[in-house]
Amino acid sequence: MELTVNGKIVSESPSQEDLSRCIGELSEASDSFIILARDDKTYIQAAILQGGGVQLEYQDGSLQQHYECSDSHLTRGNLQDIFFWYLTGDERWQNRFPWRALALPEYRPRNRTEPWVWRVVITAGAAILVAIALANLYG
């Protein structure tokens, strides 16, 4: 598993001590966040929000399986337990807290060539053909 704090990878094999230290160092002033990831699409993440609130989410393989914890009284201590359970494969993190599905939009890459590009190409091509025809006709 990979442990990331505020966008920086802290450990590729985190320990309980790493988790405790990193959760303890999260700052309310800058909306700090922590992610413990099994892979790019399977992870648990938390943020300490300004004012001391905690936002906790997990994703289980796809955007259609993205959830947030609906317990509004989470503490750093809860986060330490939850992240340790997640790290060790203990399912208590999922069973002891209420979760609700989040509807996240599916990422869809844009077409490499937008329709307006084709309009410009066709118009420019037509203008060149007209110019060539006129040059040959009057040339």
Side-chain angles (χ1 to χ4, degrees), residues 45-107:
Q45 63 185 7
I48 304 296
L49 307 175
Q50 291 181 358
V54 175
Q55 182 175 354
L56 177 64
E57 300 176 359
Y58 80 93
Q59 184 170 297
D60 195 14
S62 74
L63 290 176
Q64 288 77 30
Q65 294 178 306
H66 194 101
Y67 304 89
E68 73 176 339
C69 183
S70 56
D71 185 337
S72 61
H73 302 290
L74 289 175
T75 65
R76 286 178 193 257
N78 294 137
L79 289 183
Q80 289 179 355
D81 290 340
I82 291 166
F83 273 69
F84 180 68
W85 291 332
Y86 188 85
L87 176 69
T88 60
D90 186 330
E91 293 184 4
R92 282 184 283 180
W93 68 271
Q94 204 167 16
N95 299 325
R96 288 201 179 171
F97 297 90
W99 299 93
R100 64 177 167 236
L102 288 179
L104 298 177
E106 187 69 41
Y107 172 74

Side-chain angles (χ1 to χ4, degrees), residues 116-136:
W116 68 268
V117 172
W118 286 112
R119 286 188 214 119
V120 170
V121 169
I122 291 169
T123 303
I128 291 170
L129 289 175
V130 169
I132 291 171
L134 289 174
N136 286 335

